[in-house]
Amino acid sequence: MLPRVLTVVLFIAIMGLLVAQRFSLPPSLPTQITAVYEESNYHTGETLKRGQSVVTPGSGYLAISIGENIQIFMAANTELTLERLYENEMTVHLTKGRILVDAQGDVPIKVETNFTQHLVLEDIVSFINYDFLETVHVVPISGSVQVSIDSGENLLTPVPLSIHETDPVTFEKLEVNLAAGDAAKFYEWTGTLPQVTK
């Protein structure tokens, strides 16, 4: 009888702690769609929530603001999950596709893929996740990016890198011309790249 009572008490205590932890989370930063280009399932002014996945279709772009200092621009065929949106901790997960992050506050935003994490602070950086190739391109536009790879590699890079995320993990310098190719229109639309011209 006593072991059963102890088990019930322990279960209730654990559940109480879990509920208390759930409701003691800090409030999420206001997050919303600030611009839509062409095809989209979203509209300007739409509010987004922590944990939500945002997906762009084949020809549409989106701009998302997190608080006052973070802008994320999503190209077509991109999937992004808003994992943590707190004042002192912001994390998004780039499942696939292309984004541009403009982080101007004093708190970094973490951009994760399946096997890498990237901290962006007071910089503008583009990330392209070629999920089918298990490869991520990290393209600093201004400043540097702190890159951590699950295999144990950590580096601070001011230059574009191509990172193959799975064994064998490799990274190499990448030559990038954002004004060329299919993505040029996206970078021009973001308005953050004056060097990209028509």
Side-chain angles (χ1 to χ4, degrees), residues 35-39 56-64 71-80 94 96-102 124-130 137 139 141 176-198:
V36 176
Y37 176 77
E38 288 190 359
E39 182 184 355
T56 54
S59 64
Y61 307 152
L62 287 179
I64 299 170
Q71 284 282 323
I72 300 176
F73 300 90
M74 298 176 61
N77 292 315
T78 296
E79 183 176 348
L80 186 74
L94 178 60
K96 66 174 185 175
R98 180 184 307 267
I99 62 173
L100 185 136
V101 178
D102 185 352
I124 301 173
V125 183
S126 185
F127 298 93
I128 305 99
N129 185 358
Y130 298 101
H137 289 178
V139 183
I141 310 301
V176 176
N177 181 358
L178 299 178
D182 295 340
K185 186 175 181 181
F186 165 71
Y187 289 112
E188 182 181 337
W189 178 79
T190 68
T192 56
L193 304 175
Q195 67 269 33
V196 176
T197 58
K198 292 182 181 179

Side-chain angles (χ1 to χ4, degrees), residues 5 9 22 28 32 52 109 151 157 177:
V5 170
V9 169
R22 168 66 178 99
S28 291
Q32 67 178 355
Q52 186 171 347
I109 182 168
S151 64
T157 179
N177 181 358

Side-chain angles (χ1 to χ4, degrees), residues 7 26 46 75 80 83 97 101 152 160 163 170 175 186 189:
T7 301
E46 183 173 344
L80 186 74
E83 293 194 344
V101 178
I163 303 168
T170 59
E175 293 297 326
F186 165 71
W189 178 79

Side-chain angles (χ1 to χ4, degrees), residues 6-184:
L6 288 174
T7 301
V8 170
V9 169
L10 182 61
F11 176 77
I12 291 172
I14 289 171
M15 291 305 295
L17 286 172
L18 289 174
V19 168
Q21 177 67 27
R22 168 66 178 99
F23 290 105
S24 67
L25 290 174
S28 291
L29 289 168
T31 304
Q32 67 178 355
I33 305 290
T34 56
V36 176
Y37 176 77
E38 288 190 359
E39 182 184 355
S40 179
N41 297 325
Y42 304 92
H43 60 271
T44 302
E46 183 173 344
T47 300
L48 303 173
K49 297 180 180 177
R50 181 176 61 85
Q52 186 171 347
S53 287
V54 182
V55 180
T56 54
S59 64
Y61 307 152
L62 287 179
I64 299 170
S65 69
I66 301 174
E68 296 179 1
N69 300 312
I70 306 291
Q71 284 282 323
I72 300 176
F73 300 90
M74 298 176 61
N77 292 315
T78 296
E79 183 176 348
L80 186 74
T81 302
L82 306 171
E83 293 194 344
R84 302 186 74 77
L85 301 173
Y86 306 127
E87 192 171 293
N88 61 351
E89 183 183 3
M90 290 172 274
T91 303
V92 295
H93 184 95
L94 178 60
T95 304
K96 66 174 185 175
R98 180 184 307 267
I99 62 173
L100 185 136
V101 178
D102 185 352
Q104 298 305 318
D106 56 1
V107 175
I109 182 168
K110 183 190 290 184
V111 177
E112 296 181 338
T113 60
N114 286 337
F115 302 101
T116 62
Q117 299 83 42
H118 315 270
L119 285 181
V120 183
L121 176 62
E122 297 183 345
D123 295 319
I124 301 173
V125 183
S126 185
F127 298 93
I128 305 99
N129 185 358
Y130 298 101
D131 59 316
F132 56 95
L133 297 175
E134 299 176 330
T135 299
V136 175
H137 289 178
V138 180
V139 183
I141 310 301
S142 69
S144 299
V145 183
Q146 181 180 329
V147 177
S148 299
I149 304 171
D150 285 357
S151 64
E153 298 282 348
N154 293 292
L155 55 129
L156 185 66
T157 179
V159 298
L161 288 181
S162 176
I163 303 168
H164 185 264
E165 296 188 291
T166 55
D167 286 333
V169 174
T170 59
F171 51 91
E172 60 186 3
K173 187 176 175 183
L174 187 64
E175 293 297 326
V176 176
N177 181 358
L178 299 178
D182 295 340

